Every structure is written in C-alpha cells, then in structure tokens.
Amino acid sequence: MTTRQPASPVVAFLVATAGIALFSAMDAVLKGLSLAIGVYVALLWRNAAGILFSGALWLRRGPRWPGRTALRLHLLRGIVSTVMAVLFFWGLARVPMGQAIALTHIAPLLALFLAALLLKERIGRRTVFASLVALAGVATILYGQTQSQLGDAALLGALAVMASAVCYSYNIILMRQQAQVAGPLEIAFFQSAIVTLLLALAAPWLGSVPALVHWPAILFAAALATASLLLLGWAYARADASYLAPTEYTAFLWASLLGYLVFGEVVSFWTVVGAVLIVGGCIWAARTPRIAPATVETSL
C-alpha cells in the first residue's frame, strides 16, 4: 500500500461532477430498459454485467480481500443501494426524468445533516433555513404534477423517487466512509456484486433472461455505472461529503436534456422553479471545502 498525494478540492469536485454525468446517462439507458423489460430484470442484469467490468479491473490490480470494516461498509451500502435503485427506477418509469432528478436533489441536503450526525462534520444554522427552501421546492414540483394531471401512477412514482432520495442521502455518507478504507475498484466491484446477489434472491419469481436485442444497452449501462463509481470513489476519498454533495445538482441538467432527446419529455415550469429552490437551498447550505486525509491508496 502506497501513500497518495492529496488532490485539490476543485479537482475532486470536477471528477465527482463527471461521475454524476455518467450516472445520468446510465439513468436514461436504464429507463429505456425498464420500460422494455421491466425494472427488476433491467437492474438485475445491469448489475450482473457490472460485476464483469469492475471485477476485471479489480482483479487486474492484484487485490487483497477487504478487512472487516470495509466488508461491513460494502454490505451496508449494497443493501441501501438495492432499495434505493428499485425505488428510483420504479418511479423513473412513471415520471419524466427531469422531474425525478429534481426531486432527488433533496438528498445532498439530507446528507449534510447525516454528515454532521455520522461523520461529525460541522453544520451551520443556515442549513436549517436552506432545508425549508428546498422543501418548498419539493412542494412546488408536486403541485406542478397535480396541475399537469399526470395521473395516480405519476404521483406514486414521485413518492418512490423521494423515498429513494432519502436512501441516497445515506448512500452519500457511505461513499465517503468507504473511500477511507477501500479503493474505487474494490468499491465498484463489491457494489455490483452485493446488489446483484440481493436482487437475485427474487429471481425465481421475477427473473428472466432478456432478449439478445437488449444486451448492448445492458452492457452499456453497466460500463457507465462502473466508470461513474470509480470516479465518485476517487473524489470522495479526497474531499468532504458535504463539499462534494452539490455535484448532484448537475444531474438535473443532464436528465432534462436526455429526457427530451431520448423520451421526448418536456420539463414543466413548476419543475424548473422547484429545482431552482431545491438547488438554491442546498448551495446555500454548502460548506467550505477541506482536503480529506490521505489514509489509503485509491488512485485508478
């Protein structure tokens, strides 16, 4: 194990932003797959394919079996990620991408509170007021949904996405904790492996093998997810979770663009206003960056 040089917080921020961009592209691919073959089957085989990509890279580095702390974090994040993914993609199949991603932007703000609770990172009074602004944004989006008359399925989808965002706020904290005890390749491999194993428990009842025509999209989604996990793992090893959390906001722009180009979805006025309130509240609560301590080697 060698010591890595600390990276600039700006570099870590840009790398995390790139990771979010790739995840947004994966969301678009998986939404198409979910509509074509179902949420469960799409998630199961995307994660299974992710084992091949991340496993090949991890084994190439001559890995050591992770210690007890790392294994516990891998398992915990795998469980949280499984619940989060099922809720999110079930909801995403029922609401426009831009709206879904806008609702998930409450996660970084929730992560600030969790960072204070779990990581002992300081949190200011402005975070409390910022949370009220963000909640007003959520209410605005939901109000706009009722005005658009998208139906009960869309409302249930929006609620599922918000529940997923709660899980993701904890996921942000787990990313930070994982990055202190494991490298990006290890994190990406165990993430795919554990989620696949958990999803496979329902395979006897819900599983099926997708038609050949769907496999290019499945493999592409797996490659995007693996690359995103590597970038985020690298970034979260080098800067505070509360500093990197705002990179999540860029997903709204990517989701809106991809939703329009791929699915013909038009972002409503209420969604834009709500997203501005949520993002504005989260940025208001953002903290001054600090360099993370150099504890392990996590270079790609």
Side-chain angles (χ1 to χ4, degrees):
M1 183 177 295
T2 60
T3 302
R4 60 168 173 77
Q5 294 298 318
S8 161
V10 175
V11 173
F13 190 92
L14 292 175
V15 170
T17 300
I20 296 301
L22 293 183
F23 240 130
S24 297
M26 185 213 54
D27 287 343
V29 176
L30 266 185
K31 175 168 183 171
L33 284 169
S34 296
L35 293 172
I37 61 178
V39 174
Y40 173 80
V41 175
L43 284 176
L44 175 64
W45 290 105
R46 197 284 288 167
N47 281 280
I51 295 176
L52 299 178
F53 285 98
S54 58
L57 293 172
W58 187 52
L59 292 173
R60 185 172 176 271
R61 291 288 299 269
R64 297 179 180 178
W65 188 254
R68 179 178 298 178
T69 299
L71 277 176
R72 181 183 64 83
L73 288 171
H74 293 329
L75 179 60
L76 182 57
R77 188 181 173 198
I79 294 171
V80 173
S81 295
T82 300
V83 176
M84 177 187 74
V86 171
L87 287 170
F88 177 75
F89 287 105
W90 188 89
L92 186 62
R94 289 159 176 79
V95 299
M97 283 191 64
Q99 179 182 317
I101 297 301
L103 288 172
T104 65
H105 284 335
I106 64 173
L109 186 59
L110 293 174
L112 294 178
F113 290 100
L114 288 175
L117 178 65
L118 301 176
L119 303 183
K120 309 304 179 184
E121 296 181 5
R122 293 182 180 180
I123 188 170
R125 181 186 302 176
R126 59 184 173 179
T127 301
V128 177
F129 295 102
S131 65
L132 297 178
V133 175
L135 288 176
V138 172
T140 300
I141 292 173
L142 293 178
Y143 172 77
Q145 187 179 68
T146 62
Q147 297 300 106
S148 300
Q149 298 180 342
L150 296 177
D152 293 340
L155 177 59
L156 291 175
L159 293 177
V161 168
M162 291 179 64
S164 175
V166 174
C167 294
Y168 191 62
S169 65
Y170 187 32
N171 190 61
I172 291 174
I173 303 304
L174 291 174
M175 279 194 288
R176 171 69 170 141
Q177 293 177 316
Q178 271 186 312
Q180 298 308 298
V181 297
L185 295 175
E186 179 183 317
I187 292 172
F189 171 72
F190 278 92
Q191 172 84 354
S192 294
I194 291 172
V195 172
T196 300
L197 288 174
L198 291 174
L199 288 173
L201 294 176
W205 301 276
L206 303 176
S208 63
V209 178
L212 186 61
V213 68
H214 298 301
W215 279 99
I218 291 172
L219 294 174
F220 184 46
L224 289 171
T226 300
S228 177
L229 286 170
L230 294 178
L231 292 176
L232 289 172
W234 188 94
Y236 273 83
R238 290 162 170 80
D240 283 346
S242 53
Y243 173 59
L244 294 179
T247 60
E248 300 289 332
Y249 314 146
T250 61
F252 175 72
L253 299 176
W254 291 108
S256 299
L257 177 61
L258 290 168
Y260 175 74
L261 294 177
V262 180
F263 304 104
E265 300 168 348
V266 178
V267 179
S268 72
F269 168 78
W270 295 107
T271 296
V272 173
V273 172
V276 169
L277 288 173
I278 294 171
V279 172
C282 293
I283 291 177
W284 186 18
R287 300 179 54 218
T288 303
R290 294 205 311 262
I291 300 293
T295 56
V296 295
E297 177 186 333
T298 55
S299 56
L300 299 181

